[in-house]
Amino acid sequence: MLYIKRYLTSDCISFTFVVLIYSILASLDILPPLTTLLAFQLFAMSTAATLLLAITDRIAWKNRWLSIAVDLIDVLLGVFVSGMLLNVFVLNPLNLAVVVGMCIFVYFAVYGVLMIKDQVDASRINQQLQWLQQNRDKRTGEKQ
């Protein structure tokens, strides 16, 4: 269940970043306005990339940079294949640059948010362990 929760969270965070970036670029007239259909298509693209990440994350990589490279390939493959199947964009140099740039930015933004979340969770667990240790010491009369 934790496995599914992590990827569902990742998918939602990436979709949020994509919609925010898309909205900024649309307000600058770089991209067309965001429609309801396009929002659903962007979510499908985000989900496709997340599914590919879930599959390849099961491989135990020994090198963090190799893992990140494979993750980026997963994201780009998921976005481009689903985006072209859903007719979200036509492949031209401008679209290629915008989509690749957004994918890389969103990947590292999600990576950062999940890293921060993991640190907060670890801190919370450490606080609980420290509290349990202190209470055990109080019950037994031991000092640290």
Side-chain angles (χ1 to χ4, degrees):
M1 188 62 162
L2 186 61
Y3 184 75
I4 294 171
K5 180 182 174 186
R6 181 168 181 85
Y7 288 101
L8 184 61
T9 301
S10 176
D11 193 14
C12 291
I13 294 169
S14 65
F15 175 69
T16 301
F17 277 117
V18 167
V19 168
L20 288 172
I21 294 167
Y22 191 97
S23 297
I24 291 167
L25 294 175
S27 69
L28 297 172
D29 291 326
I30 296 171
L31 296 175
L34 182 65
T35 64
T36 303
L37 175 62
L38 182 57
F40 284 121
Q41 291 170 323
L42 291 174
F43 185 71
M45 292 165 59
S46 173
T47 302
T50 302
L51 288 173
L52 285 174
L53 286 169
I55 292 167
T56 58
D57 279 352
R58 300 188 77 104
I59 300 170
W61 302 104
K62 299 214 185 268
N63 184 320
R64 178 181 306 268
W65 294 109
L66 179 60
S67 174
I68 289 172
V70 170
D71 285 352
L72 284 170
I73 291 168
D74 287 343
V75 169
L76 292 170
L77 190 63
V79 167
F80 277 105
V81 169
S82 60
M84 300 206 37
L85 288 174
L86 296 170
N87 294 318
V88 174
F89 50 80
V90 176
L91 205 53
N92 62 37
L94 176 63
N95 287 343
L96 181 66
V98 170
V99 173
V100 168
M102 284 177 65
C103 287
I104 292 171
F105 180 84
V106 169
Y107 172 80
F108 284 108
V110 172
Y111 188 88
V113 169
L114 292 178
M115 191 182 325
I116 291 168
K117 181 188 173 306
D118 288 345
Q119 288 177 343
V120 168
D121 290 345
S123 176
R124 190 175 316 131
I125 290 168
N126 287 334
Q127 286 174 348
Q128 289 174 346
L129 290 173
Q130 198 172 38
W131 182 83
L132 288 172
Q133 179 69 33
Q134 288 172 351
N135 283 338
R136 185 185 63 84
D137 290 347
K138 287 178 185 177
R139 282 192 314 250
T140 61
E142 296 176 12
K143 291 190 176 186
Q144 295 181 1

